[in-house]
Each structure stands twice: as structure tokens, then as C-alpha cells.
Amino acid sequence: MSDKLILVLNCGSSSLKGAVLDSASGEVLLSCLAEKLNLSDAFITFKINGEKEQVSLAAQPNHTGAVGALLAELQKHGLDSRIGAVGHRVVSGGEAYSESVLIDEQVLAAVEKCIPLAPLHNPANLLGIRAAQDIFKGLPNVAVFDTAFHQTMPAHAYTYAIPRRFYRDFSLRRYGFHGTSYRFVADEAARFLGKDKNSLRMVIAHLGNGASVAAIKNGESQDTSMGLTPLEGLVMGTRSGDLDPSVFSFLADNTGLGIQEITDLLNKQSGLLGISELSNDCRTIEEEAAKGHEGALLALEIFAYRLAKYVASMAVAAGGLDALVFTGGIGENSALVRAKVVGYCEFLGLKLNEEKNLAARFGNAGVITEDTGGAVAVVIPTNEELMIAQDTARLSGL
Ligand code: ADP
């Protein structure tokens, strides 16, 4: 095992998140967040040894400038020579990739070809890869796709019931996201429960700002709630999740909004925010619900009810249920949401243990249901960066 460190990059159109990890121990030596990229007041914030430091990117306010500032910071702390490879989160690998891959020209071309499937994310991911190739010259780069883990979904799970020519002509189908998190959490859950993952039927709920559920059988994804884009499925912080597709034409006809405006409304102004008319943040919603805020109470109930309905439907895809696994910021911390969901799912054999449910928060894993000999619900913290770092180290031969 080498002592090389892995740089993990997660690029958005105007942001770049980075972390330097020891892929063997999981220790994070440095993390950073560049914001307002492509604006003149872009800046990057570093966190190292418990200290925060902010650096202006005004001289080169783009992804390359951010990666350059990151290299300078690593040099300052004598870490630059210890970086052995760079791992990139890439949102869509379409049908081309079912695993992480060492990046070469062919991979870059494939990521570019998938831009229509992830028009906001893949171009930013490509910028990050090119910046890393420019600045960290000669280091291997690895792409870890959000969609890859779900490539095991059968056709009856990924096909939309619309004329099949659209799948043939445009690759229009369900892809799913959060795959890196599901892969990590599925392994961790099996380990935590002391079970062989190949004989576990799991439903995993990844509940962050974006939220989805997936059915895992024999360690493989059978179905997931997000589809062509992350808009499908659960109620999320600002996304509506599933709707009657006719809502689109109804809004267009009755409000005069255009396609892009309605898409934005469903992605950015809906979900917990739209229902509560208060916030997209689950913590705020819970605080206000406790004070009796009607919108917050309704938002929480809809969030939990829709999630519970999806858990039950994913048990169909998994062929039964041995473990319901909660992860992501809400899944790992909100005892209230978990209690509601487990309550709705009692008919699946789950019975909440309130004490255990309160104990499994703030980074603590734990079973949160009574031992009935049947299905359990369990909290497992996710770590997508570590998964990316581990794939990157393996594929780079470190
Ligand atoms: P992202 O998808 O951006 O990675 P996270 O996984 O960090 O998001 O999850 C963010 C969500 O987790 C927010 O809705 C936040 O309110 C929620 N959350 C974090 N801590 C708590 C908590 N203690 N109680 C309830 N919700 C929480």
C-alpha cells in the first residue's frame, strides 16, 4: 500500500469542492470550497488542521484558477508531492460506464457525449478534469460516475412507458443518481449488520438536499427513485419529485410560464420549500413544526409519507426487505423523519425503538428498530469522497 494521497474533486458550474484524503484510513487532510466561479469576486476557502483560510480567485476566477490555488495551498503545507492521483465525481456516464474508470481521451469524449443527459453537471465535471490535467501534470485522473451503480437496473425498471424510439434515438430512460453513496452505504450496512451483502435485500434512502431511494439485491441496484434527471421520485429540499406530467401544461396554460421557468420552479422552488413556504432546510422545518407552523408540519408529513410509499415499492424491486437503511444529512440526523417513515412501514415488520433512534445521530451508525427477527431499520453515515478516493487509488495502482 502506498502512502500517496488522493485529491477528490466535485465540480459544479460555479463551484468546486475538493478534499485530500488518505484512501486507506479515510483521514481528510484538507478540504476546500471554491464559490462564485466565473464572477469577478470568486474565492476559495480552505480547511486544514482545523483552521479556515479564504483566498481570492480574482486573478483567474474559474475552475483552473481554483485548482491552481489548491496546488499553491498544498505546496504551502508540503502536501503537493504526496498527491498520487485525482478522483473526479462525474454525474452522468449514461449507459457507457457501469464502473469507475481511468480517464483518457476516449473517456473524455464519452463524458462529453453524455452532456444532453446532465446539461448542468457534465460540462462542469469536464472543466474540473481539464483543470486537474493542466495543473497536476502527469497524475492519473479517475472518473467516478453517479449513474454507474444503477446500470444493473433491469429494462423494466429503467424504461419509461413512452414510444421506445425516444430511448433508441436519444437514450431517454431512467438512470438514477447518488450511485457512489449507495455503493458505499450498501457495503457498510452489510458489514455493520454482519451479513453477506449478496444475500441482503436492502432499501437505502439517501436523504440530503437531493433525496432518493434505491433497491439493492445481491449487492446490485435493482431500481431507484430518480430517473432521467434528479427531479423524479421523492419530495426533496427544493424539488417536487413525482407529479402528474400534465402539471407542466397546466402551469403553462394557466400562468404563461415557459418550459425553462416551469423546470426551474419544480427544481428550485418546490419540495419542502414550496410546501412550507419557509425553508428547504429540514432542520428549520423541524424547528418550526415543533412550534406548530402549519406549512412546516404538512411539509414534513408529505416528505415522510412519500418516502414511505417509495420504501414499500422498492421492497418489490428488492424481492423483500431485510434492511431499510437511512443515510445523507436528513437520514443520518433526523430522528423525527425516520420515526415517521418507520411508523408508516410497520406493516413491513419494522418496529421503531425510540431510544436507539435518538442515539443514531450526528455520525453514529446504529439499528433503530426492535429485534423482531425480521426486517431492521439502520442508520449508516455515507462517505462519497472516501469511495471516490478508494476507486481512484485502486485504478491508479496506488
Ligand atoms: P447534500 O445533499 O447537499 O450533501 P446533506 O446530505 O448535507 O446535503 O443534507 C442536508 C440536509 O440534512 C438539510 O436538509 C439539513 O437540514 C439536514 N440535516 C442536517 N442535520 C440535521 C439535523 N440535525 N436534523 C434534521 N435535519 C438535518
Side-chain angles (χ1 to χ4, degrees):
M1 174 94 39
S2 93
D3 66 345
K4 288 288 188 189
L5 302 172
I6 306 295
L7 169 61
V8 173
L9 292 181
N10 179 359
C11 290
S13 53
S14 64
S15 71
L16 175 151
K17 265 193 224 165
V20 172
L21 282 87
D22 178 328
S23 64
S25 69
E27 185 192 357
V28 177
L29 286 91
L30 173 148
S31 61
C32 66
L33 174 63
E35 296 169 84
K36 296 192 164 186
L37 294 179
N38 306 316
L39 295 175
S40 58
D41 55 346
F43 63 95
I44 184 164
T45 311
F46 296 104
K47 227 162 122 186
I48 182 164
N49 301 327
E51 307 262 314
K52 266 192 178 180
E53 185 191 348
Q54 193 168 306
V55 175
S56 165
L57 295 173
Q60 197 182 3
N62 56 22
H63 289 78
T64 308
V67 177
L70 173 55
L71 175 62
E73 185 73 11
L74 290 169
Q75 285 166 338
K76 200 167 103 187
H77 294 278
L79 288 173
D80 53 311
S81 60
R82 292 181 60 198
I83 307 287
V86 188
H88 300 266
R89 174 186 180 215
V90 179
V91 167
S92 181
E95 291 186 320
Y97 295 103
S98 54
E99 289 179 351
S100 304
V101 63
L102 206 52
I103 297 174
D104 58 14
E105 284 307 313
Q106 202 187 335
V107 174
L108 283 174
V111 173
E112 191 144 1
K113 213 172 142 206
C114 290
I115 287 177
L117 300 174
L120 299 178
H121 294 100
N122 271 28
N125 301 151
L126 279 167
L127 287 174
I129 295 169
R130 297 221 163 90
Q133 287 175 328
D134 259 14
I135 307 265
F136 289 87
K137 286 208 187 333
L139 288 189
N141 286 269
V142 166
V144 179
F145 302 97
D146 268 23
T147 50
F149 184 64
H150 298 301
Q151 279 298 300
T152 47
M153 283 198 292
H156 64 257
Y158 72 67
T159 304
Y160 285 118
I162 59 174
R164 289 197 71 194
R165 65 176 184 277
F166 296 111
Y167 169 59
R168 287 192 295 269
D169 294 349
F170 301 105
S171 304
L172 199 173
R173 50 159 278 183
R174 309 183 63 251
Y175 288 94
F177 298 89
H178 292 140
T180 310
S181 174
Y182 287 126
R183 190 153 54 94
F184 179 85
V185 171
D187 282 355
E188 283 297 302
R191 191 169 315 136
F192 186 84
L193 295 170
K195 297 266 167 65
D196 175 5
K197 79 170 174 187
N198 295 322
S199 61
L200 262 185
R201 298 163 302 175
M202 282 188 268
V203 174
I204 305 181
H206 176 110
L207 311 174
N209 282 311
S212 68
V213 273
I216 320 284
K217 189 164 95 181
N218 302 331
E220 293 184 341
S221 174
Q222 304 297 322
D223 201 351
T224 189
S225 58
M226 284 179 171
L228 173 72
T229 75
L231 185 56
E232 187 176 340
L234 303 178
V235 173
M236 311 180 210
T238 59
R239 295 191 193 118
S240 63
D242 293 342
L243 304 155
D244 178 340
S246 304
V247 167
F248 239 89
S249 57
F250 182 94
L251 285 174
D253 290 347
N254 287 283
T255 66
L257 292 174
I259 288 180
Q260 194 51 50
E261 288 164 313
I262 298 172
T263 304
D264 277 356
L265 179 112
L266 298 178
N267 273 291
K268 299 180 183 159
Q269 295 171 42
S270 301
L272 293 176
L273 173 65
I275 303 165
S276 69
E277 300 182 303
L278 200 63
S279 172
N280 62 306
D281 192 292
C282 187
R283 260 167 307 199
T284 311
I285 303 271
E286 284 192 20
E287 281 160 23
E288 294 304 316
K291 295 180 207 156
H293 187 284
E294 191 262 338
L297 283 163
L298 183 63
L300 271 180
E301 208 55 46
I302 296 176
F303 183 89
Y305 171 68
R306 284 269 292 270
L307 172 54
K309 284 209 297 186
Y310 253 107
V311 169
S313 70
M314 286 293 154
V316 172
L321 183 71
D322 299 311
L324 166 60
V325 187
F326 289 97
T327 195
I330 299 173
E332 291 167 30
N333 296 297
S334 175
L336 181 62
V337 165
R338 294 189 311 232
K340 283 181 184 292
V341 174
V342 170
Y344 277 122
C345 291
E346 270 194 6
F347 74 99
L348 289 169
L350 298 169
K351 178 112 190 62
L352 190 78
N353 178 310
E354 284 181 22
E355 225 171 279
K356 289 182 182 170
N357 187 34
L358 287 174
R361 286 188 293 168
F362 315 127
N364 294 316
V367 171
I368 59 168
T369 42
E370 303 287 356
D371 184 3
T372 58
V376 296
V378 58
V379 176
I380 302 285
T382 192
N383 194 339
E384 289 162 281
E385 281 160 356
L386 178 58
M387 189 90 266
I388 295 174
Q390 288 175 347
D391 281 7
T392 303
R394 180 172 45 81
L395 290 166
S396 306
L398 295 176

